């Protein structure tokens, strides 16, 4: 829904998008492009969380001489920025394939634009591997990383507004006297942080989605700035908030589950290490 609302045409609002997708593509339409992200999400998340936590530990070691020392706000911000940069390197090709698969059956109605030989409305790609290989062959590495600039502008501040609010809310709602946050505190803090992060990241998420969807049938945008200017000129400021409801609603449960799984995994590994090395 997020991609269709941000880069598609004629959907109106979220409910209309749901009904249109179901009417035209049945239930399968809601799961288009899922296989590639599903296969890579474990690696992607573990790398991002690992980079964030290890950068924090390194900064605490340099600043205080103790990697386990509670990080200050500046350290959390810098660790979030590093995690954001790393996330783009891994996630940009995955998101491009997902968006191309989701948008390849969408009709393009544009005046004075010569379409490629492929007929809009018919699938261009046979699957995620075929999509990745086709883009790589036709557009090279630059094509695989199309929209990476917009994704960088989304993820760097986005992860700052992901990890920092999580740390703040987790500490705030954890009962006094507890050595570590309870699972319910982690779940709630992670959900709130996810909703904040995805909600505020929506404007650049719209630009990223449009850049990555661009190229299925035509190349409309020359780059991030051109996409911003064209989108604003044709649709006004409101275009940058398309899909904000879907992003915020989706951000809560996914981030809550992500942080809960992360914290519980850390506890389990620490417990195993303690039992192995008493």
């Amino acid at each position: 829904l997020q991609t269709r609302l941000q880069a598609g045409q004629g959907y109106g609002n979220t409910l209309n998008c749901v009904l249109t997708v179901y009417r035209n593509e049945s239930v399968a339409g809601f799961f288009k492009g899922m296989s590639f992200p599903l296969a890579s999400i474990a690696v992607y998340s573990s790398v991002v969380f690992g980079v964030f936590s290890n950068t924090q530990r390194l900064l605490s070691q340099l600043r205080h001489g103790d990697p386990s020392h509670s990080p200050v706000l500046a350290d959390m911000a810098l660790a979030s920025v590093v995690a954001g940069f790393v996330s783009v390197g891994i996630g940009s090709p995955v998101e491009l394939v997902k968006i191309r698969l989701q948008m390849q059956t969408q009709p393009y109605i544009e005046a004075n634009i010569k379409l490629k030989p492929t007929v809009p409305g018919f699938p261009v790609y046979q699957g995620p591997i075929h999509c990745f290989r086709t883009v790589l062959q036709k557009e090279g590495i630059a094509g695989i990383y199309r929209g990476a600039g917009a994704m960088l502008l989304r993820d760097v501040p986005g992860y700052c507004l992901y990890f920092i609010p999580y740390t703040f809310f987790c500490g705030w709602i954890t009962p006094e006297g507890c050595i570590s946050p309870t699972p319910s505190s982690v779940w709630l803090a992670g959900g709130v942080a996810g909703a904040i992060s995805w909600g505020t990241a929506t404007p650049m998420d719209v630009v990223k989605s449009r850049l990555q969807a661009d190229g299925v049938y035509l190349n409309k945008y020359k780059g991030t700035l051109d996409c911003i200017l064209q989108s604003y000129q044709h649709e006004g400021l409101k275009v940058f908030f398309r899909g904000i409801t879907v992003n915020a609603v989706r951000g809560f449960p996914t981030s809550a589950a992500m942080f809960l799984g992360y914290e519980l995994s850390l506890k389990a590994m620490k417990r195993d290490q303690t039992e192995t090395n008493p």
Side-chain angles (χ1 to χ4, degrees), residues 64-145:
H64 305 286
D66 179 11
S68 61
H69 191 279
S70 297
V72 297
L73 181 60
D75 291 349
M76 286 191 289
L78 182 55
S80 300
V81 169
V82 174
F85 272 93
V86 172
S87 74
V88 173
I90 302 173
S92 185
V94 175
E95 293 209 13
L96 180 130
V97 170
K98 179 194 73 172
I99 287 174
R100 289 288 178 94
L101 290 172
Q102 290 172 342
M103 295 300 296
Q104 66 175 335
T105 56
Q106 301 307 295
Y108 262 105
I109 306 172
E110 296 288 345
N112 302 320
I113 294 178
K114 185 178 180 180
L115 292 176
K116 295 180 179 179
T118 308
V119 180
F122 291 88
V124 180
Y125 311 111
Q126 298 170 9
I129 302 301
H130 180 254
C131 177
F132 184 88
R133 188 171 62 245
T134 302
V135 174
L136 188 61
Q137 289 173 348
K138 292 184 176 180
E139 305 174 47
I141 297 295
I144 291 297
Y145 281 92

Side-chain angles (χ1 to χ4, degrees), residues 228-246:
I228 293 172
L229 293 175
Q230 284 199 49
S231 298
Y232 177 74
Q233 288 170 357
H234 295 153
E235 300 171 70
L237 191 62
K238 64 181 181 180
V239 69
F240 299 108
F241 297 93
R242 280 190 178 183
I244 189 170
T245 303
V246 174

